[in-house]
């Protein structure tokens, strides 16, 4: 399902070139990642491009992810010198902390300088991690198009903040191929890959298997299940029966069940879930 998709269309190649061209014009990079999948939503191409630039990593959608896992990931990601902030860019949670951090960095940049220069920054990230929502929060207006589907932001634009800082937006960027199919699945679970090119029923089945293994109590409570089977398909059918997703002839409506489970996971209705755990290496 995941391996046979072309993940590197032309606009993503152009995005890489765009970042390379403009990186020298900015003081720092704000990398937005999905707190539910901090590994899968970090692009190694961005890692390679940014290199020694000061980086702020925004753990976005942290309201949807496991709180303890958020703290563990923040600690882990700070090890390379990055500043890490837990945020919810849709609601604005964490925006004040971000501005305080940016002001401090701007003051450090202008220390002992006669001519004060505004901080210039670039926002990067894979599609649908919440970059546009963050930009709207930072500018205080709808300066960037937002949407719940990947691929909304198409080109470069400089945006001026009220405090004089300057922000360069870039389209979302994915890498050429997934060496680990799990990365592709995680991105698909969270909506970073267009649903139209995926088999939704199979995708939801895989998600149900993951949730049954890692968050059994949450999935049982959400769908009023008395127990879970070792068979993922049986769990999917039990969810469909509880919700009344039945077609004529008493057939299971797998498509409706799939859409419901994926929508409820993405919306946080099943609970606060992190699909990738931080490995603490002390």
């Amino acid at each position: 399902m995941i391996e046979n998709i072309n993940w590197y269309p032309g606009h993503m190649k152009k995005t890489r070139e765009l970042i390379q061209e403009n990186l020298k014009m900015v003081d720092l990079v704000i990398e937005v990642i999905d707190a539910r999948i901090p590994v899968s939503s970090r692009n190694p191409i961005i890692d390679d491009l940014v290199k020694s630039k000061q980086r702020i990593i925004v753990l976005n959608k942290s309201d949807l992810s496991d709180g303890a896992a958020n703290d563990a990931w923040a600690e882990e990601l700070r090890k390379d010198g990055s500043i890490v902030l837990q945020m919810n860019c849709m609601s604005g949670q964490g925006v004040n902390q971000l501005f305080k951090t940016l002001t401090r960095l701007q003051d450090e940049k202008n220390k002992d300088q006669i001519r004060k220069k505004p901080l210039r920054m670039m926002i990067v990230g894979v599609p649908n991690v919440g970059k546009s929502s963050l930009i709207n929060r930072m500018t205080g207006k709808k300066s960037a198009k937002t949407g719940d589907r990947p691929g909304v932001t198409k080109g470069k634009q400089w945006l001026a903040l009220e405090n004089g800082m300057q922000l360069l937006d870039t389209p979302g960027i994915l890498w050429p191929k997934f060496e680990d199919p799990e990365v592709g699945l995680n991105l698909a679970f969270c909506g970073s890959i267009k649903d139209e090119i995926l088999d939704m029923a199979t995708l939801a089945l895989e998600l149900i298997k993951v949730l049954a293994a890692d968050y059994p109590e949450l999935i049982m409570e959400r769908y009023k299940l008395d127990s879970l089977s070792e068979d993922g398909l049986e769990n999917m059918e039990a969810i469909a029966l509880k919700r009344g997703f039945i077609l004529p002839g008493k057939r299971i409506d797998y498509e409706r069940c799939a859409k419901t489970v994926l929508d409820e996971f993405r919306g946080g209705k099943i609970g606060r879930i992190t699909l990738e755990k931080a490995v603490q290496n002390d």
Side-chain angles (χ1 to χ4, degrees):
M1 176 174 68
I2 295 294
E3 295 87 341
N4 300 325
I5 299 172
N6 174 17
W7 299 117
Y8 210 44
H11 81 272
M12 292 180 183
K13 180 175 183 293
K14 289 178 183 176
T15 302
R16 177 179 181 143
E17 294 167 354
L18 188 72
I19 291 174
Q20 284 176 313
E21 290 166 10
N22 292 283
L23 197 58
K24 60 181 177 292
M25 301 170 64
V26 301
D27 303 298
L28 66 91
V29 173
I30 299 176
E31 181 186 5
V32 185
I33 63 178
D34 189 324
R36 297 168 295 180
I37 49 170
V39 175
S40 296
S41 63
R42 289 194 83 192
N43 190 332
I45 288 178
I46 292 173
D47 240 3
D48 180 56
L49 292 176
V50 173
K51 293 179 180 172
S52 60
K53 283 280 181 182
Q54 172 71 65
R55 182 162 16 174
I56 295 176
I57 298 175
V58 171
L59 278 170
N60 189 32
K61 307 184 184 181
S62 60
D63 58 311
L64 301 177
S65 52
D66 188 319
N70 289 344
D71 293 338
W73 273 115
E75 182 183 342
E76 184 66 23
L77 293 169
R78 288 188 186 108
K79 289 180 178 178
D80 68 356
S82 296
I83 298 167
V84 183
L85 301 175
Q86 298 179 32
M87 297 181 65
N88 174 1
C89 297
M90 190 66 73
S91 71
Q93 174 194 337
V95 171
N96 288 340
Q97 186 182 3
L98 173 61
F99 273 119
K100 286 178 182 177
T101 302
L102 293 174
T103 300
R104 175 176 60 79
L105 293 173
Q106 181 172 258
D107 290 343
E108 289 174 3
K109 172 192 173 185
N110 286 319
K111 187 179 180 182
D112 301 325
Q113 298 294 321
I114 296 174
R115 186 184 173 197
K116 308 297 184 185
K117 293 183 179 179
L119 196 67
R120 303 188 89 186
M121 66 203 86
M122 176 190 294
I123 290 187
V124 298
V126 303
N128 207 36
V129 291
K131 293 189 297 90
S132 295
S133 295
L134 176 58
I135 291 166
N136 291 339
R137 284 286 169 183
M138 292 178 72
T139 58
K141 57 186 177 182
K142 297 267 184 180
S143 298
K145 294 180 180 178
T146 59
D148 59 1
R149 295 181 180 275
V152 173
T153 308
K154 296 297 184 185
K156 177 182 79 169
Q157 51 182 339
W158 280 100
L159 303 169
L161 308 187
E162 289 183 3
N163 60 10
M165 295 178 185
Q166 296 178 339
L167 180 65
L168 175 66
D169 178 35
T170 59
I173 177 173
L174 285 172
W175 46 98
K177 63 179 180 179
F178 298 130
E179 294 179 1
D180 182 354
E182 232 177 84
V183 170
L185 274 176
N186 285 335
L187 287 164
F189 291 153
C190 294
S192 284
I193 295 167
K194 293 179 181 178
D195 288 338
E196 291 83 353
I197 62 176
L198 300 169
D199 178 343
M200 298 295 286
T202 303
L203 183 64
L205 176 60
E206 292 302 315
L207 177 60
I208 289 168
K209 289 178 182 176
V210 171
L211 297 182
D214 294 346
Y215 292 92
E217 296 85 0
L218 291 182
I219 196 169
M220 287 171 65
E221 182 179 351
R222 179 64 187 173
Y223 298 107
K224 305 295 188 289
L225 304 177
D226 296 326
S227 61
L228 290 171
S229 168
E230 292 184 4
D231 186 317
L233 186 57
E234 287 183 8
N235 291 328
M236 189 174 187
E237 291 174 347
I239 291 170
L241 290 171
K242 283 289 186 179
R243 288 293 179 92
F245 298 151
I246 308 299
L247 294 168
K250 297 183 178 180
R251 292 176 296 122
I252 299 288
D253 189 341
Y254 292 103
E255 293 299 322
R256 190 177 173 195
C257 184
K259 185 178 187 308
T260 296
V261 171
L262 287 166
D263 285 348
E264 293 189 352
F265 164 72
R266 292 169 183 172
K269 292 180 179 177
I270 297 174
R272 296 183 64 177
I273 292 166
T274 300
L275 299 178
E276 297 172 325
K277 300 298 189 290
V279 178
Q280 300 295 320
N281 296 317
D282 297 321

